[in-house]
């Protein structure tokens, strides 16, 4: 099955890439989740729009990625959340909340999909969250989650 990716899918491609996948993977996962659209000549014209939107969000080169990494490594990000006794949060910290906390702390604007949160953050404490800025550059955000009073 030939599809056009609309979002980044790890180990498959970037938005705007035209890839060949197994029928079940495309039909049962990629298309319903909105990660891809089926390929057609008309849809292929949308590839330029998808790539243009990606280039606006994307970090241009390794040098720019290194600059952003230097900013993120020196940044101290604190996020205040509601927590119960014992430091357990009511809910969890989402990547979107982390991105807004980074911007509030004076950091650069990040794409929430670039954060690699392996397990949900559900307790108060300090966390190191990797951010994939470029295929060759990975920065770390130092996040402190504190309980609100």
């Amino acid at each position: 099955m030939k599809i056009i990716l609309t979002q980044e899918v790890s180990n498959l491609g970037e938005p705007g890439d035209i890839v060949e996948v197994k029928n079940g993977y495309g039909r049962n996962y990629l298309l319903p989740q909105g990660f891809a659209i089926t390929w057609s000549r008309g849809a292929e014209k949308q590839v330029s729009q998808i790539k243009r939107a990606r280039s606006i969000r994307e970090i241009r080169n390794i040098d720019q990625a290194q600059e952003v990494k230097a900013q993120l490594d020196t940044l101290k990000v604190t996020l205040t959340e509601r927590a119960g006794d014992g430091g357990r949060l009511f809910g969890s910290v989402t990547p979107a909340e982390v991105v807004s906390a980074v911007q509030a702390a004076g950091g650069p604007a990040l794409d929430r999909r670039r954060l690699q949160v392996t397990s949900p953050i559900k307790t108060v404490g300090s966390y190191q969250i990797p951010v994939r800025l470029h295929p060759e550059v990975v920065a770390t955000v130092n996040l402190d989650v504190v309980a609100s009073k």
Side-chain angles (χ1 to χ4, degrees):
M1 168 180 254
K2 205 172 192 182
I3 59 170
I4 301 171
L5 296 177
T6 57
Q7 292 185 14
E8 182 176 342
V9 178
S10 57
N11 298 328
L12 192 56
E14 299 284 322
D17 290 348
I18 300 172
V19 293
E20 186 78 29
V21 295
K22 300 242 180 186
N23 289 338
Y25 183 53
R27 189 174 47 249
N28 296 326
Y29 178 68
L30 295 174
L31 295 175
Q33 294 293 327
F35 294 148
I37 56 175
T38 54
W39 179 88
S40 68
R41 287 197 176 133
E44 194 167 356
K45 293 177 184 176
Q46 292 179 340
V47 171
S48 63
Q49 293 174 339
I50 293 169
K51 287 187 176 183
R52 192 175 326 120
R54 180 178 78 183
S55 69
I56 293 170
R57 283 195 316 262
E58 187 177 82
I59 293 177
R60 304 278 183 250
N61 55 27
I62 291 180
D63 295 333
Q64 186 181 6
Q66 293 290 355
E67 291 173 16
V68 173
K69 179 181 178 183
Q71 286 179 332
L72 289 176
D73 288 343
T74 60
L75 195 63
K76 187 69 172 168
V77 180
T78 304
L79 188 61
T80 305
E81 292 286 327
R82 290 184 45 216
D85 298 337
R88 187 152 174 87
L89 298 179
F90 296 120
S92 64
V93 176
T94 64
E97 291 174 325
V98 174
V99 168
S100 63
V102 167
Q103 285 183 322
L110 299 173
D111 186 6
R112 65 176 171 74
R113 292 176 289 243
R114 299 281 184 193
L115 271 69
Q116 297 175 326
V117 180
T118 55
S119 61
I121 299 173
K122 294 188 175 195
T123 58
V124 173
S126 295
Y127 298 91
Q128 292 187 341
I129 301 172
V131 181
R132 188 176 22 91
L133 299 171
H134 191 271
E136 300 172 12
V137 179
V138 177
T140 303
V141 173
N142 295 314
L143 176 70
D144 285 331
V145 178
V146 296
S148 62
K149 306 270 180 196

